[in-house]
Amino acid sequence: MINDIFNILLPQFVLGGFILLLLILGMILSPRLYRYARIIAATGISLSVVFLSTVQTEPQYFGFRNSIMSDSYTLLFDFIILSCGFLITLLSKNLVKRCKRSAYTYFAILLTAVFGAMNIVSANDFLTLLVSVELLGFSTYFLISVSKGYHSKEAAFKYLITSAVSTGIFLFGVSYLYGITGSLNFTTIYEYITQNETSLIYTVSAIMIILGLASKLAVFPFANWVIDVYKGTETSTLAYLSTIPKLAMFGIICRLLVFPLSNSFEIVFIIAVLSLITAFWANTYAIREKNVKVILACSSSANASYALLTASLVSVYNLSTVIFYLICYVIINIGVFAYLNMYGDEKSFDINAFKGVYHMNHGFTALYAILIIGLAGIPITSGFIAKIYLFTAIANSGLVFTPFLLGLLLLMVVALFYYLKILLPLFSVCDKNTPVEKFKTNFSQKFVVAASVIITLFLGMCPEMLIELCRLIAYNI
C-alpha cells in the first residue's frame, strides 16, 4: 500500500492534506484572516504539481488491487487539471472577499473537486470511478451555490437534479455490464469482451455509461442545465465549471472507449448523432440569446460535442486531436472568464451592457477579443489549429462520417454569428448618457488573461511540439 501511494497517489495525498488543513483552519481562525486561504490553496496545488514527478508512468502502474492506474495519459490530464485549479484559485480573490467567513471552506471544496477530477482520470474500475464522479459532483453543487441569491441556489439545484438522473443511468449501465462480465475492473472487462461475443445488453450498457458521464459535458439529452447554471453562477466558478469537470469526463470517456467499451460499434453512431444534435441545439440557441454567460454556456456545450464526436471515432490520431483540442479550449476559456471576472459579477451580462467597454479598458478588452476569436476558430489562434486538426480527424475516419463533418462545418459557421454578437458591442460608441466604467482589476486577473492570450497565440503559430506530445500520449494510452 505504501508503494502504491508513493508510486501513484502522492499528488492526491498532498491535496488531501491541504483540504484537511483548510477545514481545520476554517474552524479555528478569525474570518479577518480569510486572505490566507487562497495562498494555502495555491500552495497545495503547486506542491501537487511538483509531486507529479514521483508518479510512475513507464511502464503503466496499477495500484490498490488494480483500481487505480497511472501512465503518461493520466499524468498529462492531472497536470492540466492542477494548472486549471491553480488559475481558478487566483481568480477567486473577489469571491472570497464577499464570503470572508467561508473562504477556507470554499477553497477546501475547490481542492476536493480537483482531487475528485484527478481520481476520475486515474480510475481503473467502475467503483472507483463512481466514487470519484460523485466527489466531483458534490463539490460542484457547493461551488455553484456559494454566491448569495436566488439564481445561484436555483442553478445548484438544477445541476443536482440532472446529475442525480445521469448517475442513475450510469449505474444501470454499470450493473448490466457487471452482469455480463462479472467484473467492475476495466482490464478484466476488456479481456472478457475480446474473448467473447458481445450482445445487445453490452451495447445498451455501454450507451448508458457514456450518456451518464456525458451529462457533465452538457450533451443531449442532458444539455438544458447548462443555460440556467451558467446564468446563475459567479464567473470564477464558471472558469472551474467549464474546464475541470470537462477535462475529467473526457479523460475517462476516451479511456472507456478505447478499452472496456471498445467492442460496441453502435455506440459510435449514437454518440455521433447525439453530438450533432447538441451542436445544432447549442449554436441555434445562442443566436437568439443576449446574455453573454448564456452564449458562453452554449459555446461550451457545442465545443464539448465537437470533441466527443471525434473521441468516439477511436484511433490514435483522433485521441491526440481530442487532447490537443481540450488543452486549447480550457486555456481560452479560463482567459475569457478571467476577463468577465474583471468586469464584475454584480453587473448585467446583457450584450448591450458591454457597449463601449473598449474605450475605457483598451488593453484587456483587446486581449479578450483575441480569446473570443480563438473560441470562434479564427486563424493565428490555437482555436483555429484545434478545429482544423478536428476536421482532419473526422475526415480521415471514413466516408460514412462525411455528413457529420459537413454538419459540424455548417454549425461552426453559424457559431461565428454569436461570437460576433459578443465582440461588436465592446468596440461600439456608447450613448453619452451611459458612462462606461474603468475596470477595477487585480494582479491575478491580469496575469490569467495575459497568460491565456500568450499561450493561445503561441499555440496558434507554433503548435507542432504540443501536437507531437499529444500523439505520443494517445499512442501510449
Side-chain angles (χ1 to χ4, degrees):
M1 181 177 174
I2 299 299
N3 285 337
D4 288 346
I5 291 171
F6 279 96
N7 286 329
I8 194 171
L9 280 184
L10 197 53
Q12 286 95 317
F13 265 74
V14 171
L15 268 187
F18 274 86
I19 291 167
L20 290 175
L21 177 63
L22 284 165
L23 291 173
I24 293 168
L25 292 177
M27 291 188 287
I28 63 176
L29 292 183
S30 166
R32 287 177 295 179
L33 301 174
Y34 72 92
R35 293 183 183 88
Y36 296 106
R38 193 166 67 113
I39 297 170
I40 293 169
T43 303
I45 293 173
S46 301
L47 284 176
S48 292
V49 172
V50 171
F51 281 109
L52 283 176
S53 61
T54 66
V55 175
Q56 181 177 322
T57 58
E58 295 295 338
Q60 288 181 326
Y61 188 89
F62 294 88
F64 297 95
R65 296 183 181 271
N66 290 336
S67 63
I68 296 284
M69 69 171 295
S70 69
D71 55 13
S72 54
Y73 177 81
T74 62
L75 189 67
L76 177 65
F77 271 88
D78 285 346
F79 176 75
I80 302 168
I81 288 168
L82 286 169
S83 300
C84 289
F86 181 81
L87 294 176
I88 292 159
T89 301
L90 295 183
L91 288 180
S92 301
K93 184 175 182 178
N94 291 339
L95 177 61
V96 295
K97 273 186 182 178
R98 295 196 296 271
C99 56
K100 298 177 184 179
R101 189 172 296 277
S102 305
Y104 287 91
T105 306
Y106 170 80
F107 284 113
I109 294 170
L110 178 60
L111 261 60
T112 303
V114 174
F115 180 88
M118 292 173 70
N119 283 331
I120 287 172
V121 177
S122 302
N124 193 48
D125 70 34
F126 282 108
L127 182 58
T128 305
L129 176 57
L130 174 64
V131 174
S132 302
V133 167
E134 289 307 298
L135 188 62
L136 177 68
F138 276 107
S139 302
T140 305
Y141 311 147
F142 292 115
L143 291 174
I144 291 171
S145 62
V146 73
S147 300
K148 293 180 180 179
Y150 170 78
H151 292 296
S152 65
K153 304 301 181 286
E154 180 188 21
F157 183 72
K158 288 184 177 178
Y159 188 84
L160 172 65
I161 295 300
T162 305
S163 293
V165 174
S166 63
T167 299
I169 292 171
F170 170 77
L171 284 174
F172 267 114
V174 171
S175 66
Y176 293 150
L177 195 59
Y178 178 77
I180 297 167
T181 62
S183 176
L184 295 173
N185 186 269
F186 297 168
T187 307
T188 307
I189 293 170
Y190 180 66
E191 290 172 356
Y192 178 90
I193 63 170
T194 53
Q195 296 168 6
N196 296 274
E197 291 265 344
T198 56
S199 62
L200 177 61
I201 297 178
Y202 171 79
T203 301
V204 171
S205 67
I207 293 166
M208 294 179 83
I209 288 168
I210 295 299
L211 277 180
L213 294 173
S215 67
K216 300 290 191 297
L217 306 175
V219 173
F220 183 86
F222 301 106
N224 277 335
W225 66 266
V226 76
I227 303 297
D228 294 314
V229 169
Y230 271 60
K231 193 183 291 185
T233 305
E234 198 268 351
T235 50
S236 60
T237 306
L238 285 181
Y240 154 80
L241 195 62
S242 63
T243 54
I244 291 177
K246 284 182 167 50
L247 285 167
M249 289 303 117
F250 270 111
I252 193 61
I253 285 172
C254 289
R255 192 180 289 283
L256 290 174
L257 290 171
V258 170
F259 290 109
L261 307 184
S262 61
N263 224 24
S264 174
F265 302 107
E266 297 85 354
I267 197 170
V268 175
F269 292 97
I270 290 170
I271 292 175
V273 170
L274 292 179
S275 298
L276 198 61
I277 293 171
T278 304
F280 176 79
W281 169 81
N283 288 322
T284 52
Y285 192 99
I287 287 174
R288 63 178 188 273
E289 258 301 327
K290 293 186 177 180
N291 186 298
V292 172
K293 282 186 177 181
V294 175
I295 292 173
L296 291 173
C298 294
S299 169
S300 169
S301 184
N303 279 286
S305 68
Y306 307 152
L308 186 62
L309 172 57
T310 310
S312 68
L313 311 174
V314 181
S315 71
V316 171
Y317 187 83
N318 286 21
L319 289 176
S320 67
T321 301
V322 172
I323 296 169
F324 181 78
Y325 194 89
L326 287 174
I327 293 171
C328 296
Y329 171 76
V330 297
I331 290 168
I332 294 172
N333 239 44
I334 285 184
V336 167
F337 285 111
Y339 177 84
L340 295 181
N341 196 248
M342 286 181 178
Y343 176 73
D345 286 294
E346 307 302 321
K347 299 177 182 177
S348 168
F349 281 87
D350 189 274
I351 286 172
N352 295 322
F354 286 81
K355 277 188 175 179
V357 166
Y358 171 77
H359 302 293
M360 287 297 290
N361 306 275
H362 300 288
F364 287 99
T365 301
L367 296 181
Y368 173 65
I370 292 171
L371 294 169
I372 295 296
I373 286 170
L375 279 179
I378 304 298
I380 81 159
T381 65
S382 59
F384 173 73
I385 302 296
K387 282 186 167 60
I388 292 295
Y389 199 16
L390 194 88
F391 296 150
T392 307
I394 299 173
N396 290 340
S397 298
L399 287 174
V400 69
F401 296 103
T402 303
F404 295 100
L405 175 60
L406 294 175
L408 289 185
L409 281 169
L410 180 61
L411 289 169
M412 285 183 185
V413 172
V414 172
L416 291 174
F417 176 76
Y418 63 78
Y419 288 123
L420 283 174
K421 277 174 62 178
I422 295 176
L423 282 179
L424 292 179
L426 299 172
F427 302 96
S428 64
V429 179
C430 62
D431 188 355
K432 293 180 180 179
N433 298 321
T434 310
V436 178
E437 296 180 15
K438 191 171 181 64
F439 293 171
K440 295 177 182 178
T441 60
N442 55 55
F443 174 77
S444 299
Q445 294 166 331
K446 294 175 182 177
F447 172 77
V448 175
V449 172
S452 298
V453 172
I454 291 168
I455 297 171
T456 297
L457 292 176
F458 176 77
L459 291 178
M461 293 181 279
C462 307
E464 295 83 9
M465 288 181 62
L466 183 57
I467 288 174
E468 285 302 315
L469 174 64
C470 291
R471 285 178 181 167
L472 178 65
I473 297 295
Y475 183 78
N476 292 325
I477 187 173

